[in-house]
Amino acid sequence: MAPRSAATREESWNSIHVCRIPETQRLGVVLTDKQRSEASNEGLDVDMMEGQEQPQLLTINDVHRVLHPLQATADRVGKQVEKFAETLDRLGSKRDRTINDCRDVLPLVREYEKIAAETVKRLRKYHEPERQEKLKKSWKKRLDKSSRRSPPSETNGDDEIDDPKSTTVKDLQHWEQERQTWQLLGLMLQVEHPIHGKSKGLPEGEERYRRPKDTPKLHQFSSERDVWHSFLEQNPDMWEKHVVVEWLKSSADSVGQDIDVVVEQLESGADRGSGLWAHSWLYSKEAIKANKRLRSWPVPIDPSDPGIDATLISNNNDENLVTQLDPDAFSRQERQLQKEDIFFERAIWLACYEMIRRGHSWSAIREWCQERVEVWRALSIRGDPRLAEGPNGSKDVLSGWQARSIWRKMCAIAAREGGIDEYENAVYGILSGQFSSVEKVARGWDDYLFAVYNSQLLEGFDFFTRKTFASSLPWEVIDKLGGSRLSGISKPVMNGGDIWKEMVDKEAMMEEAQSPFKMIQGSIVAKQLWDFLVNQGRVLAHLTAQRSGRRISNALPPPQPPVAAIGPEDYDLLRILTHMILALQMLDSSRAKGPTVEYVVRAYVDFLGKAGKQQLLPLYASRLSEDGAVRCMAQQLPMIVDANERKTVLDLMSEYTLDVPRILFEQLILIIKHVKISHSAESSIPPRRIIGKFESKDPNENQPRLPYIASGFMGNEITGDQQDLINGMEWYLLLSGHWNETIIAGVFVYKHFLRAGALAAARELARRVPFSSISQNKTGDLMGQAIDLGVLSDDEGYDGLPAREAARLRHERTSSQMEVSLKKEYLLGSSITFRELENIVFALDAIESWKAVLDELSAKPDPKQEKELKAELNNAFELITNYIEPMLKKGWLQTPIDDTEASELHMLRRQYLPEIIIAYNTVITICGQYCTRTVLLQSMNLAALIAAENPEIASIFMETQRMSELVEAFAMSGRTMLAADETNMAKAKERRGQRGQLNELLGIWTVRRSEILKQKEKSNE
């Protein structure tokens, strides 16, 4: 099938957007008019906002939600679900597999990231104040807990800002993490599958993720920027770590609290108002000045001055204060500051750490420090080749690499040995790559990964510099300045997989590292995303089997750690995993299509189906393997009951080139497979379903008794599985053509119903999917016009003509008429089993209807009603005769397509033919009493046919051990005719001349009762 045009695709997705149910009709959200207007203009789902459900009358939407229990969840993320599907449909087309890069996948991933970013933007408009309030509390805890010698924090940052009751804030956090995850995947795709040739690849504003190319040849006087770019260009592993580090900076900046808000809290904690930051160590300075005034010393105080320890002490009188205010006085003099100044120092370094950790430019850091008259801090941290220099373009990193190598060594010493606070050590630890100092302030997964990769990256850069310029510096002397910056890391060189495993097992961050998003991000960093997705497929397969009570296949191995706690009910996470699988499919289709990983996609499709997003199902199914697509769609079709929705889904399945006939038949197989029904008809003696007890006025009378037809023997109960099978057959009426597939499916379902004795379901199937409807719906495509083949005979009306006349008419047909005739003959011949099975159901239904009329007649109604009921009884008898006569012909229900079906059809003949014939004989006998005695002749004809003309029927009675019952039934019919009322004899004689031969035949049964008794007495003698 040709691909859809862009206009057609856009129109199709617009129709889905229009059909989406707005949640504003159901929730009473507390928003101002302005907020409502903004939300409406931006297409915001207002159910994302807090609100209270208002009492309201039930609407069709409420009924729809009952039918689709996950509709509320779908409404909450409905717009995003549809946007992801639309993006996949638009950008996720097949690509040229000869191009081994990510140029076709990257736009898809970038679009997913854009959807998440837009959602974050909208959610922040309404929930950012609450989130910032929670972040304030988190900052306060950090400041209170921070001290110079405190151990590494084990507090999970997410736990501090996560309130289980604030679901709207959780939504915001979820989408923030999702945006980060899609961004990381896009970056790592470019690392693993770089785009060859000219391709933009990266959006504007992300130049830091562009790998340097064609760097100039290095020499002794090369700038550090050139050395750094050459290092990244020549070392793929280091480039990968650089990308991850920059991503971690960007992520921290996007979700962290604004620095200005942090400053407000720092002012409060340092006990100084706005504008007093310029006074630095305010309280210690006042103490020094007071001591100098007390002693009248015109020169700076020296720590060795006599009596200084007794007078220059902290407010708590427990520690000696510094005597000078230069920045290194704290570490050089080994004396303390006032408590307020310690908090100030801690807060300043915390802010500097956050700015560096978030990747702020050095210009922004310098400006922030300059406002607080702390420029020396900005100058002390200048020199990292990764720090952007800001818009002014000043490139301090153009200076020589030699000075910077020594500067990083000095920063490492400061991080390890000096500093008033652990955040000061962490600042210099980031700049030098000193791991242990940065690890101490790590609050979670992101910070720890940043510490490890940052250390390895700078260690690798120094090694590259030393190797490139081996004779340019006295490296042995420099090495003596300090130890390894990687002290504290379990392995000197760790790849992404090692780090991921270590974080999952590390007790301090185990809980966060095992959270779903961190597991996904960790697998991406470790370049094990595909293995992780396969593993999650195993998890879902085992969970689904466990919950349904089914046994898991031995071919499916159990999941191996690490695994994320993602179940079938985690719909948002399933959406993410599904679209990651489909994105990787574009890189390697052979790897991406497998039964294990497809469990993830099928779980997401199952959510879409339950949420009422049926129009999205074919799109995702089309991305699976052929078998997976068939099974996936077959599981979802029973939930689609609306006729228009079925037609739409059917058209979409055809549009996405899915095997529609196979899907429809697989649907029936799956339903039957999970229905446990004991087919007792396969026993040697099938159970009775139509014939009940025998009528007898005198239980002691040893005479043949007329078989009794049970009232309502077909029943009315239809189970859910049976209803699904009937719904499944209705799909075939919407399917153009495919005659054979439809007939085979119908035979399949009829055999199941009839063997199981599900007569009510079989009758419902015959009513909703009759052969006449099938022929009318499908002959238009097959023959050019809609024809009801059900009203045609197998010989097109020629069977009632003399053989010579019929041959002449056939010979005179035109070629087009002959072609139509041949098609009709083929269609009728291929559907003979279907029509015969349907005929069984119609015959049983007619018998049950006849019995219902008889029951009313037996209730002795008034004369007028009795007359009407007798006429109705006679009409029902004629209908029964029309249905049963074909069943008495030779070869009935003996046209199987294989040996298996031959055995099944034989079972059905054994199960239904004896009962139907015995019931038919009862119908004949009773109608002979209520209507006219002429019908009694049909009992004689029936007996003759079974005895001589069609021995197949007699054989069936012998197999089922019901021949004696049949003989008794015929005997009772004969007894009924012999016991005719003597008063009718005279009338019969009067009409003998009028009735001719027919009445003469009946006359043989008009024997007086007295004559019968005389013959009986002679026989007794």
Side-chain angles (χ1 to χ4, degrees):
M1 179 174 291
R4 293 182 296 172
S5 65
T8 304
R9 181 186 290 113
E10 189 68 24
E11 181 180 355
S12 174
W13 285 106
N14 287 338
S15 66
I16 294 181
H17 294 325
V18 170
C19 293
R20 185 162 51 86
I21 301 173
E23 192 70 5
T24 52
Q25 298 176 5
R26 187 171 63 91
L27 294 182
V29 291
V30 183
L31 297 176
T32 64
D33 293 339
K34 180 179 180 182
Q35 288 174 325
R36 285 183 178 277
S37 177
E38 292 174 349
S40 177
N41 292 335
E42 296 189 18
L44 179 65
D45 289 338
V46 296
D47 58 312
M48 292 278 196
M49 314 165 200
E50 286 187 312
Q52 298 296 325
E53 189 170 352
Q54 302 296 321
Q56 197 174 33
L57 294 176
L58 289 177
T59 65
I60 189 62
N61 293 342
D62 299 314
V63 177
H64 191 260
R65 289 184 179 87
V66 173
L67 296 177
H68 302 291
L70 299 180
Q71 184 66 52
T73 302
D75 287 342
R76 179 174 62 83
V77 294
K79 188 173 183 179
Q80 287 73 26
V81 166
E82 292 163 6
K83 280 189 174 182
F84 269 82
E86 181 180 359
T87 301
L88 175 65
D89 188 38
R90 176 165 46 89
L91 299 176
S93 57
K94 294 182 179 179
R95 53 159 291 188
D96 185 359
R97 303 295 177 184
T98 61
I99 303 177
N100 187 24
D101 60 30
C102 64
R103 70 179 64 200
D104 293 327
V105 185
L106 193 59
L108 183 65
V109 176
R110 289 296 186 190
E111 194 66 23
Y112 294 155
E113 179 190 350
K114 181 181 177 181
I115 296 172
E118 290 175 349
T119 307
V120 169
K121 181 180 178 181
R122 291 196 295 267
L123 289 176
R124 280 182 174 176
K125 183 177 296 185
Y126 298 95
H127 309 310
E128 184 66 10
E130 182 181 358
R131 178 175 169 275
Q132 289 293 334
E133 187 64 28
K134 294 181 180 295
L135 284 173
K136 285 183 181 180
K137 297 178 181 179
S138 174
W139 273 92
K140 181 63 177 175
K141 291 180 181 179
R142 292 175 62 186
L143 292 173
D144 292 341
K145 291 181 179 180
S146 178
S147 64
R148 185 171 184 267
R149 300 302 177 192
S150 62
S153 172
E154 297 183 2
T155 303
N156 187 329
D158 290 340
D159 291 340
E160 294 182 10
I161 63 176
D162 229 2
D163 184 359
K165 298 180 181 179
S166 303
T167 56
T168 53
V169 174
K170 279 189 174 182
D171 287 336
L172 176 57
Q173 292 170 342
H174 167 90
W175 284 102
E176 285 174 337
Q177 292 187 80
E178 180 170 345
R179 184 200 62 79
Q180 297 169 9
T181 304
W182 286 118
Q183 182 187 34
L184 175 63
L185 178 60
L187 295 173
M188 293 303 291
L189 283 175
Q190 294 179 89
V191 171
E192 295 184 65
H193 307 276
I195 299 176
H196 304 292
K198 294 183 179 180
S199 179
K200 187 176 181 180
L202 289 167
E204 295 182 4
E206 295 191 4
E207 289 298 324
R208 55 183 169 176
Y209 299 120
R210 190 180 301 278
R211 188 172 183 179
K213 292 182 179 180
D214 302 325
T215 56
K217 185 177 180 180
L218 299 181
H219 51 81
Q220 184 176 358
F221 302 102
S222 296
S223 66
E224 188 177 41
R225 175 61 58 86
D226 290 340
V227 178
W228 175 257
H229 285 172
S230 180
F231 162 68
L232 295 179
E233 181 182 10
Q234 298 180 32
N235 294 273
D237 291 342
M238 292 297 111
W239 168 247
E240 175 187 329
K241 288 179 170 58
H242 170 75
V243 168
V244 174
V245 167
E246 294 301 319
W247 170 76
L248 289 168
K249 290 179 179 179
S250 173
S251 299
D253 190 42
S254 64
V255 300
Q257 194 173 21
D258 292 340
I259 297 297
D260 293 338
V261 178
V262 176
V263 169
E264 293 179 4
Q265 297 186 67
L266 300 183
E267 290 174 346
S268 174
D271 196 17
R272 60 189 74 197
S274 178
L276 295 181
W277 284 98
H279 295 277
S280 189
W281 295 345
L282 179 62
Y283 292 90
S284 298
K285 181 168 63 175
E286 290 299 323
I288 293 173
K289 286 184 177 180
N291 195 279
K292 290 179 69 175
R293 287 194 297 269
L294 178 64
R295 296 174 176 271
S296 300
W297 284 351
V299 295
I301 301 176
D302 190 273
S304 61
D305 290 343
I308 194 66
D309 292 340
T311 57
L312 191 57
I313 57 178
S314 65
N315 294 335
N316 297 331
N317 298 323
D318 56 356
E319 292 182 296
N320 297 323
L321 296 180
V322 295
T323 62
Q324 298 172 6
L325 298 176
D326 48 311
D328 66 337
F330 175 84
S331 57
R332 177 169 49 81
Q333 296 182 355
E334 297 184 352
R335 301 172 75 91
Q336 289 294 327
L337 299 174
Q338 290 285 19
K339 179 181 177 180
E340 295 82 0
D341 294 331
I342 292 176
F343 190 92
F344 166 82
E345 191 74 9
R346 181 184 305 157
I348 287 288
W349 283 117
L350 174 58
C352 291
Y353 167 81
E354 283 293 324
M355 287 188 286
I356 297 176
R357 173 69 178 82
R358 299 181 189 187
H360 287 197
S361 67
W362 182 82
S363 299
I365 299 174
R366 179 190 61 185
E367 182 179 353
W368 191 91
C369 293
Q370 190 172 5
E371 291 177 356
R372 291 150 183 82
V373 195
E374 298 287 338
V375 181
W376 69 271
R377 300 179 194 266
L379 293 175
S380 69
I381 64 179
R382 187 181 192 184
D384 192 332
R386 300 167 297 177
L387 281 179
E389 292 299 310
N392 296 331
S394 56
K395 301 293 183 182
D396 181 70
V397 290
L398 294 178
S399 58
W401 55 268
Q402 300 90 339
R404 293 305 180 195
S405 296
I406 300 176
W407 173 80
R408 276 191 296 276
K409 203 66 171 180
M410 298 300 296
C411 288
I413 296 173
R416 187 173 58 253
E417 299 179 359
I420 192 173
D421 182 76
E422 60 187 12
Y423 281 101
E424 178 184 358
N425 297 340
V427 166
Y428 292 114
I430 293 176
L431 299 174
S432 63
Q434 215 281 332
F435 170 75
S436 58
S437 60
V438 183
E439 183 196 20
K440 288 181 179 179
V441 299
R443 297 182 298 116
W445 187 91
D446 291 44
D447 289 343
Y448 184 82
L449 178 61
F450 175 84
V452 175
Y453 266 27
N454 179 72
S455 298
Q456 292 190 348
L457 183 61
L458 292 180
E459 180 80 359
F461 179 57
D462 280 353
F463 179 79
F464 174 81
T465 305
R466 178 184 302 217
K467 181 180 179 181
T468 305
F469 307 102
S471 60
S472 300
L473 282 179
W475 297 106
E476 296 79 4
V477 177
I478 296 176
D479 289 341
K480 295 179 180 179
L481 295 178
S484 172
R485 59 168 55 89
L486 299 178
S487 60
I489 301 181
S490 57
K491 295 180 181 179
V493 179
M494 297 177 67
N495 58 32
D498 296 332
I499 298 173
W500 183 31
K501 186 177 184 304
E502 179 173 306
M503 288 190 294
V504 170
D505 297 335
K506 198 176 183 65
E507 184 177 357
M509 63 185 68
M510 181 182 299
E511 183 177 356
E512 182 188 6
Q514 293 181 356
S515 65
F517 270 112
K518 295 310 175 186
M519 291 293 289
I520 297 173
Q521 293 172 4
S523 66
I524 296 174
V525 171
K527 295 191 287 189
Q528 298 176 15
L529 177 59
W530 182 251
D531 295 335
F532 172 79
L533 294 172
V534 172
N535 218 19
Q536 289 304 130
R538 295 171 182 166
V539 171
L540 289 170
H542 282 269
L543 279 176
T544 303
Q546 182 180 1
R547 294 178 182 182
S548 62
R550 295 196 300 270
R551 184 178 179 182
I552 196 69
S553 172
N554 294 330
L556 184 65
Q560 301 295 325
V563 295
I566 302 176
E569 67 282 351
D570 298 318
Y571 313 118
D572 288 326
L573 294 170
L574 287 177
R575 172 179 51 78
I576 297 171
L577 296 183
T578 294
H579 288 88
M580 285 185 174
I581 290 172
L582 301 182
L584 295 181
Q585 176 182 341
M586 297 176 63
L587 289 172
D588 187 353
S589 60
S590 62
R591 181 183 68 172
K593 291 184 178 180
T596 303
V597 75
E598 286 183 355
Y599 275 106
V600 179
V601 182
R602 285 164 54 185
Y604 180 62
V605 171
D606 186 61
F607 155 68
L608 294 176
K610 292 177 180 177
K613 303 289 183 182
Q614 284 87 0
Q615 295 184 30
L616 306 182
L617 304 182
L619 167 64
Y620 290 95
S622 67
R623 305 293 166 152
L624 303 177
S625 62
E626 183 177 353
D627 292 340
V630 169
R631 189 174 183 85
C632 179
M633 286 303 302
Q635 290 175 329
Q636 301 304 319
L637 294 187
M639 293 187 292
I640 307 176
V641 295
D642 181 74
N644 294 330
E645 193 74 24
R646 284 178 178 175
K647 181 61 177 175
T648 301
V649 172
L650 199 65
D651 292 341
L652 289 172
M653 287 194 292
S654 300
E655 188 173 340
Y656 287 111
T657 66
L658 297 177
D659 192 342
V660 178
R662 186 181 170 194
I663 290 172
L664 297 184
F665 194 72
E666 180 71 14
Q667 172 193 197
L668 306 178
I669 294 176
L670 291 177
I671 297 171
I672 293 177
K673 184 183 295 184
H674 298 105
V675 177
K676 296 181 180 179
I677 298 180
S678 176
H679 297 298
S680 55
E682 298 178 6
S683 62
S684 59
I685 303 178
R688 294 176 180 269
R689 301 189 185 278
I690 306 173
I691 303 301
K693 64 181 181 178
F694 289 90
E695 289 184 340
S696 177
K697 295 181 180 180
D698 184 1
N700 297 321
E701 183 181 359
N702 187 19
Q703 294 292 339
R705 293 167 294 175
L706 185 65
Y708 174 78
I709 300 175
S711 299
F713 61 84
M714 296 191 74
N716 295 311
E717 182 180 357
I718 301 177
T719 66
D721 292 322
Q722 293 167 356
Q723 189 66 54
D724 287 342
L725 287 172
I726 298 171
N727 293 340
M729 278 303 304
E730 286 184 321
W731 282 88
Y732 283 93
L733 294 179
L734 303 174
L735 181 65
S736 299
H738 298 284
W739 174 269
N740 289 335
E741 291 85 349
T742 304
I743 295 301
I744 291 173
V747 170
F748 180 73
V749 177
Y750 268 127
K751 288 188 299 184
H752 171 75
F753 284 160
L754 293 175
R755 290 176 63 195
L759 301 183
R763 176 171 55 191
E764 185 67 14
L765 175 62
R767 289 175 179 174
R768 289 164 56 178
V769 193
F771 177 76
S772 58
S773 297
I774 293 175
S775 61
Q776 288 177 347
N777 288 343
K778 298 191 178 299
T779 51
D781 294 326
L782 299 173
M783 304 176 63
Q785 58 179 335
I787 301 174
D788 185 359
L789 298 175
V791 300
L792 298 177
S793 66
D794 292 350
D795 204 25
E796 295 188 274
Y798 299 138
D799 52 349
L801 299 176
R804 182 173 297 181
E805 181 67 13
R808 184 184 65 80
L809 292 176
R810 290 192 185 95
H811 180 73
E812 291 177 355
R813 291 179 298 181
T814 63
S815 58
S816 60
Q817 289 176 331
M818 291 182 63
E819 182 180 357
V820 172
S821 178
L822 290 174
K823 287 183 178 180
K824 289 179 181 179
E825 291 177 7
Y826 169 77
L827 296 179
L828 287 169
S830 62
S831 63
I832 185 171
T833 301
F834 181 97
R835 290 182 287 124
E836 289 171 344
L837 293 173
E838 183 184 60
N839 198 68
I840 294 178
V841 179
F842 286 150
L844 294 174
D845 184 53
I847 294 173
E848 186 186 63
S849 300
W850 177 89
K851 182 59 167 61
V853 177
L854 179 64
D855 291 341
E856 292 186 44
L857 194 59
S858 301
K860 298 180 179 180
D862 58 73
K864 180 180 180 182
Q865 188 178 7
E866 180 180 3
K867 182 178 181 181
E868 294 176 353
L869 288 174
K870 286 183 177 181
E872 188 175 348
L873 192 72
N874 187 64
N875 293 335
F877 167 72
E878 293 178 357
L879 185 63
I880 293 172
T881 302
N882 291 335
Y883 289 135
I884 290 182
E885 282 183 349
M887 302 169 63
L888 302 176
K889 296 180 179 180
K890 290 183 179 181
W892 176 80
L893 208 60
Q894 297 183 57
T895 315
I897 59 175
D898 53 32
D899 293 340
T900 301
E901 186 171 272
S903 176
E904 293 172 342
L905 296 181
H906 184 69
M907 288 293 179
L908 293 177
R909 283 166 56 83
R910 296 173 68 251
Q911 185 173 354
Y912 288 98
L913 193 56
E915 292 232 312
I916 289 176
I917 291 178
I918 293 174
Y920 181 46
N921 184 72
T922 298
V923 171
I924 293 173
T925 304
I926 294 178
C927 283
Q929 296 176 355
Y930 279 99
C931 301
T932 173
R933 289 190 305 130
T934 58
V935 301
L936 294 173
L937 283 176
Q938 297 190 32
S939 178
M940 297 173 55
N941 295 334
L942 182 61
L945 183 146
I946 296 175
E949 296 182 21
N950 192 351
E952 296 174 353
I953 300 178
S955 176
I956 291 294
F957 274 93
M958 295 297 292
E959 285 185 33
T960 57
Q961 301 179 18
R962 301 188 72 169
M963 180 59 77
S964 60
E965 185 179 344
L966 178 64
V967 172
E968 285 189 8
F970 283 145
M972 188 59 194
S973 297
R975 178 182 174 84
T976 302
M977 289 184 283
L978 287 173
D981 190 7
E982 294 181 1
T983 58
N984 293 328
M985 291 291 296
K987 297 179 181 180
K989 289 181 179 180
E990 293 176 1
R991 294 191 297 267
R992 181 171 307 200
Q994 300 174 4
R995 295 192 176 181
Q997 185 180 4
L998 174 60
N999 209 42
E1000 291 177 1
L1001 290 173
L1002 287 176
I1004 67 174
W1005 300 107
T1006 58
V1007 183
R1008 294 181 181 275
R1009 182 176 178 81
S1010 58
E1011 296 178 2
I1012 297 175
L1013 293 176
K1014 289 179 183 180
Q1015 294 178 5
K1016 187 175 182 181
E1017 290 174 357
K1018 291 181 180 180
S1019 63
N1020 290 336
E1021 292 176 357

